[in-house]
Amino acid sequence: MTWIAAFRSHEDDCRRAPSAHNTQPWALRYTDDAVDVHWDPSRALPDSDPTRRDLFLSLGAFIETCLVVAASAGLPVRADIAVDHSSQRAARLLPSPSVYDTPFTLTSVQQRRCARGGYAPGTLDPAVLAALTALGADLRQVPTRTLVAPLAAADRWMFGTPEVVGELRAWMRLSPKHPRYQLDGLTDQAMALSRIEATGLAAMIGPRAYPLTRRLGGPALLAAASKGLLRYDGSVLILVGSAVTPESVIEHGRALVRVWLALSERGLNVHPLSQLLDCAATAGQLTEKLDLAPDESPLAVFRTGRPLKEPIRSARIPASQV
Ligand SMILES: Cc1cc2nc3c(=O)[nH]c(=O)nc-3n(C[C@H](O)[C@H](O)[C@H](O)COP(=O)(O)O)c2cc1C
């Protein structure tokens, strides 16, 4: 069996990588001597992610996951990151003289998951933060409570912006009856919503009701629903870095998934709060708070801790159905 055929047999594990809105924007193309990582523009989020920060972070997370999965299978594979916009190619996976050096395994990849419900109080152990930084991530820690008001503002912006709500609607699967419930997107269970909450949200952001919802103060109401999210003593981590090229954002996405895997191995989950960066006002406030170099910006924001309830395993499109 060629290394490419061997790698291909593990594609479903690679697809466990995280992506914004669980869009799984990646597309693998197998050639005779390489595995090319492309992105599918129909799975990008042009309105929520106009700078494509989350797209390239997600592609980086996928590439790192591919390398971990290959290493776990004993396959010597490396990634050549070079973005080609005309063919929408992010990287090539190529044979390597040695197996990728990573502390993570297939089990790490399979066990990692986001958790969006309640977290037990407790801030991140400084030794853990130091271990995460050693994985090549520049992380800043902020107490959860300091972001209560900015998160409410970002949520009001998110639920009040029709194009962003349109993309949320397209990727939310608020009922198990949704035809893509097992495949992609954000399910009610993944978002830790009760049946009543999911039904209410579906009714408020449905295409017909949303214009009225928006006029009658629905965005503030929806934002209020997540107000309690950060009202406990916990940690929010902010990944910062220079994002001048798509390649550099991909590298940050690789570091991001290493951090999430390392947290997961310690029984800690993450809950990204990207709306804080998508909303220009709160992104500006956050950037001011952090002592950043001129070319640096916050790239990912997530709370981390021990979830009160075991999070569910999120949906993925099987490689056989691509
Ligand atoms: C770049 C990036 C941004 C994300 N932003 C958010 C976010 O703002 N809110 C959220 O709840 N999840 C966010 N996520 C988490 C994804 O929704 C999650 O990875 C996906 O639904 C798959 O679930 P899993 O990570 O539990 O496997 C983000 C993930 C990535 C990689």
Side-chain angles (χ1 to χ4, degrees), residues 88-169:
Q88 283 126 10
R89 192 177 68 201
R92 310 197 81 181
L93 302 179
L94 297 161
S96 164
S98 55
V99 170
Y100 181 56
D101 186 14
T102 173
F104 305 113
T105 62
L106 180 58
T107 310
S108 328
V109 168
Q110 289 172 338
Q111 285 179 350
R112 183 210 58 79
R113 47 189 75 175
C114 289
R116 300 182 181 83
Y119 279 49
T123 52
L124 198 62
D125 179 341
V128 174
L129 185 57
L132 301 179
T133 307
L135 294 168
D138 187 352
L139 295 164
R140 310 294 163 88
Q141 189 176 187
V142 175
T144 38
R145 290 183 194 276
T146 62
L147 292 176
V148 169
L151 185 66
D155 278 344
R156 279 196 301 278
W157 165 84
M158 180 172 76
F159 288 118
T161 309
E163 299 78 12
V164 173
V165 169
E167 283 181 349
L168 259 182
R169 191 189 294 128

Side-chain angles (χ1 to χ4, degrees), residues 18-20 22 54 112-114 116 186 271-272 274 314 316:
S19 59
N22 198 15
D54 280 354
R112 183 210 58 79
R113 47 189 75 175
C114 289
R116 300 182 181 83
L186 299 164
H271 176 186
S274 308
S314 55
R316 288 298 185 281

Side-chain angles (χ1 to χ4, degrees), residues 235-258:
S235 293
V236 170
L237 293 180
I238 304 171
L239 174 74
V240 304
S242 167
V244 283
T245 60
E247 286 84 358
S248 59
V249 184
I250 288 176
E251 290 298 348
H252 291 304
R254 294 180 62 182
L256 184 67
V257 88
R258 287 196 292 270

Side-chain angles (χ1 to χ4, degrees), residues 14-207:
C14 301
R15 300 179 70 86
R16 291 309 308 166
S19 59
H21 285 16
N22 198 15
T23 55
Q24 305 161 43
W26 39 77
L28 286 181
R29 293 198 196 148
Y30 294 90
T31 71
D32 286 344
D33 50 7
V35 181
D36 291 348
V37 181
H38 288 254
W39 70 89
D40 176 350
S42 71
R43 295 183 161 270
L45 300 165
D47 294 309
S48 327
D49 184 32
T51 63
R52 299 198 285 183
R53 179 200 70 227
D54 280 354
L55 173 67
F56 289 117
L57 286 175
S58 302
L59 287 164
F62 179 70
I63 291 161
E64 185 71 14
T65 305
C66 287
L67 293 178
V68 171
V69 168
S72 207
L75 296 171
V77 176
R78 68 181 178 88
D80 183 9
I81 315 273
V83 172
D84 176 22
H85 291 278
S86 59
S87 66
Q88 283 126 10
R89 192 177 68 201
R92 310 197 81 181
L93 302 179
L94 297 161
S96 164
S98 55
V99 170
Y100 181 56
D101 186 14
T102 173
F104 305 113
T105 62
L106 180 58
T107 310
S108 328
V109 168
Q110 289 172 338
Q111 285 179 350
R112 183 210 58 79
R113 47 189 75 175
C114 289
R116 300 182 181 83
Y119 279 49
T123 52
L124 198 62
D125 179 341
V128 174
L129 185 57
L132 301 179
T133 307
L135 294 168
D138 187 352
L139 295 164
R140 310 294 163 88
Q141 189 176 187
V142 175
T144 38
R145 290 183 194 276
T146 62
L147 292 176
V148 169
L151 185 66
D155 278 344
R156 279 196 301 278
W157 165 84
M158 180 172 76
F159 288 118
T161 309
E163 299 78 12
V164 173
V165 169
E167 283 181 349
L168 259 182
R169 191 189 294 128
W171 290 100
M172 277 182 177
R173 281 85 177 97
L174 291 169
S175 154
K177 291 194 183 124
H178 193 289
R180 299 195 66 80
Y181 198 80
Q182 309 285 350
L183 295 175
D184 54 16
L186 299 164
T187 65
D188 50 345
Q189 287 184 18
M191 289 186 289
L193 297 175
S194 66
R195 196 85 296 281
I196 289 177
E197 289 166 333
T199 309
L201 180 59
M204 285 175 86
I205 70 163

